[in-house]
Structures are given as C-alpha cells and as structure tokens.
C-alpha cells in the first residue's frame, strides 16, 4: 500500500531564512503525482506545488520548490525567504494510479513556525 | 470569485441523529471528494464522485452517505451508524487538467457530538 512519511512533527525557522520540510513516500508504481498543501489555522487546505513522477526537473512555484529525488523516494518542500504568514501545517500527499488516480494519500503533516 | 463553499463551519450532532454537510463549487469541475481529518493526522478519503449521479466509496465510507444530483453540489450525510463522527471534514474538487489532477479544497466543517 502507498504510504507518505513526514518525520518532522514541528519545525522552527526565522523570518527570511529558508527551510526544508521532509517527505518520503513508498510505492511500487511507476506513475504517480506528488503534492504539497498548506493548512493554516483556519483549516482550509491550500495547494502549493505539484511534481509528476516522470518530470525530470524539480517543480518550482514562487518561493516554493520541490526537491524530488526519485531513487530515494523523497519529495522535500523547500520554502525560501520564510515569512510570518508561512506559519501553518504542511502536508505532503501522493496520487497513486489506483482508483484511476482519484485518490490522494496524505502524510501526518509538519507544523512550521516562523519567528520574527 | 470561483471556489468551493462548505457549510456550516461548525456543526453539532446529537446521538442517533443524521446530519448533512454541504459542499458547493462553481469551478465547473467534474470530480468532487470528501475527506475526514482527525487531530494529528492527515486526510482520509470518504467518498468521491467523478460525474453527476455517480459516486464511489473511499477508504472510510462506513457510516456516511453522499449524493451527486448536480455538478455543483456534493453533500455528505453523517449517519447515526458513524459511531465516532467528531472530526474536521473537507470537501474538494479536481482540476480538469488530467496531467496533474490537482484537488482544491473548501474551508471545512468541524463536526462535534453533543
């Protein structure tokens, strides 16, 4: 079964510094998608970035980049120049091919606190 | 503005009562989803629907029911058979770009048992 592991329950970073949130995944499938979502205290899940398993380049979206290492099955999120508004829970998710790529499998999340 | 609207934001259920959570989207997305989130955990899939009048069970469908009579709406009913309904419920719809299949979420409904 597919599984997402986020080993860091909490991370602290100072404003304007970069931070890396770890994510490893377990799958025997060759075709899959990887996602990162942000969940502020309000509860809404906000999509941040996507990486396809066949994409050769690491995905980037503004201050977010995904460090994709396929052989190691890791998909770490890098946030550059952290801002106070980045304080939130961050979830890594995978979309396996089962059920026609409909399903997202989520990790347990990492809580990021950005200090002034 | 396009988006996904969930209501109510907070809901309380009495023992033996069925309650219905609303989810509406105006993004013209075909597929919609319901997830449950428990404290300290990620999201788990309850039900999903790829098209009107069709839906499939997810990983934790027992004690829940859904309908999809309109493209824009995908209500979730938490029945009395769901013995532990206290959780945060999130509705999502999926972008039609099949190369990515990104799911976008509403703001959630927090359900508690009285």
């Amino acid at each position: 079964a597919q599984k997402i592991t986020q080993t860091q329950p909490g991370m602290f970073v100072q404003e304007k510094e970069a931070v890396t949130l770890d994510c490893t995944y377990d799958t025997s499938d060759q075709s899959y998608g990887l996602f990162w979502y942000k969940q502020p205290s309000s509860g809404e899940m906000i999509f941040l970035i996507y990486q396809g398993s066949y994409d050769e380049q690491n995905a980037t979206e503004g201050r977010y980049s995904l460090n994709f290492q396929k052989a190691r099955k890791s998909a770490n999120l890098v946030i550059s120049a952290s801002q106070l508004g980045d304080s939130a829970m961050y979830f890594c998710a995978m979309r396996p091919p089962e059920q026609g790529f409909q399903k997202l499998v989520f990790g347990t999340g990492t809580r990021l606190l950005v200090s002034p | 503005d396009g988006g996904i609207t969930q209501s109510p934001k907070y809901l309380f259920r009495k023992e033996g009562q069925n309650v219905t959570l609303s989810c509406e989207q105006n993004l013209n997305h075909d597929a919609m989803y319901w997830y449950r989130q428990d404290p300290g955990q990620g999201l788990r899939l309850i039900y999903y629907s790829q098209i009107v009048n069709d839906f499939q069970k997810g990983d934790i469908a027992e004690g829940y029911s859904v309908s999809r009579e309109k493209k824009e709406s995908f209500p979730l009913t938490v029945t009395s058979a769901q013995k532990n309904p206290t959780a945060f419920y999130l509705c999502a719809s999926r972008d039609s770009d099949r190369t990515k299949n990104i799911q976008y979420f509403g703001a959630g409904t927090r359900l508690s048992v009285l």
Side-chain angles (χ1 to χ4, degrees), chain B residues 19-66:
Chain B
V19 292
T20 297
L21 285 60
S22 170
C23 178
E24 304 275 333
Q25 56 100 358
N26 60 5
L27 300 168
N28 200 33
H29 290 171
D30 288 318
M32 297 185 73
Y33 307 80
W34 275 105
Y35 291 88
R36 170 180 171 140
Q37 185 179 26
D38 293 285
Q41 297 190 29
L43 279 63
R44 292 182 291 167
L45 182 65
I46 305 173
Y47 267 98
Y48 67 96
S49 167
Q50 298 184 69
I51 199 167
V52 173
N53 292 324
D54 184 61
F55 48 83
Q56 282 79 40
K57 293 181 179 180
D59 296 324
I60 54 166
E62 186 174 349
Y64 300 97
S65 66
V66 293

Side-chain angles (χ1 to χ4, degrees), chain B:
Chain B
D1 284 335
I4 300 167
T5 302
Q6 290 188 241
S7 62
K9 191 172 175 121
Y10 299 96
L11 187 58
F12 298 92
R13 192 191 93 165
K14 295 180 182 177
E15 292 286 339
Q17 187 182 41
N18 293 354
V19 292
T20 297
L21 285 60
S22 170
C23 178
E24 304 275 333
Q25 56 100 358
N26 60 5
L27 300 168
N28 200 33
H29 290 171
D30 288 318
M32 297 185 73
Y33 307 80
W34 275 105
Y35 291 88
R36 170 180 171 140
Q37 185 179 26
D38 293 285
Q41 297 190 29
L43 279 63
R44 292 182 291 167
L45 182 65
I46 305 173
Y47 267 98
Y48 67 96
S49 167
Q50 298 184 69
I51 199 167
V52 173
N53 292 324
D54 184 61
F55 48 83
Q56 282 79 40
K57 293 181 179 180
D59 296 324
I60 54 166
E62 186 174 349
Y64 300 97
S65 66
V66 293
S67 63
R68 186 86 187 275
E69 297 177 2
K70 299 187 300 181
K71 186 175 184 177
E72 301 80 16
S73 179
F74 190 41
L76 173 74
T77 296
V78 183
T79 75
S80 56
Q82 173 48 247
K83 297 307 178 188
N84 184 21
T86 297
F88 189 55
Y89 291 87
L90 284 153
C91 176
S93 68
R94 191 193 72 205
D95 193 303
S96 57
D97 178 356
R98 293 189 176 275
T99 61
K100 296 185 178 181
N101 283 339
I102 297 169
Q103 293 185 22
Y104 296 93
F105 288 81
T109 293
R110 196 167 297 279
L111 175 62
S112 301
V113 176
L114 291 176

Side-chain angles (χ1 to χ4, degrees), chain A residues 35 37 39 41-45 47 50 61 91 95 98-109, chain B residues 31 33 35 37 40-43 45 48 50 57 59 88 90 94 99-107:
Chain A
F35 303 78
Y37 285 87
Q39 187 177 42
S41 56
S42 59
E44 182 179 0
M45 296 286 282
F47 166 73
Y50 165 85
E61 291 283 350
F91 290 92
R95 189 197 66 235
E98 69 178 76
Q99 293 179 301
F101 293 95
Q102 294 288 332
K103 180 178 176 176
L104 283 179
V105 177
F106 284 83
T108 53
Chain B
Y33 307 80
Y35 291 88
Q37 185 179 26
Q41 297 190 29
L43 279 63
L45 182 65
Y48 67 96
Q50 298 184 69
K57 293 181 179 180
D59 296 324
F88 189 55
L90 284 153
R94 191 193 72 205
T99 61
K100 296 185 178 181
N101 283 339
I102 297 169
Q103 293 185 22
Y104 296 93
F105 288 81

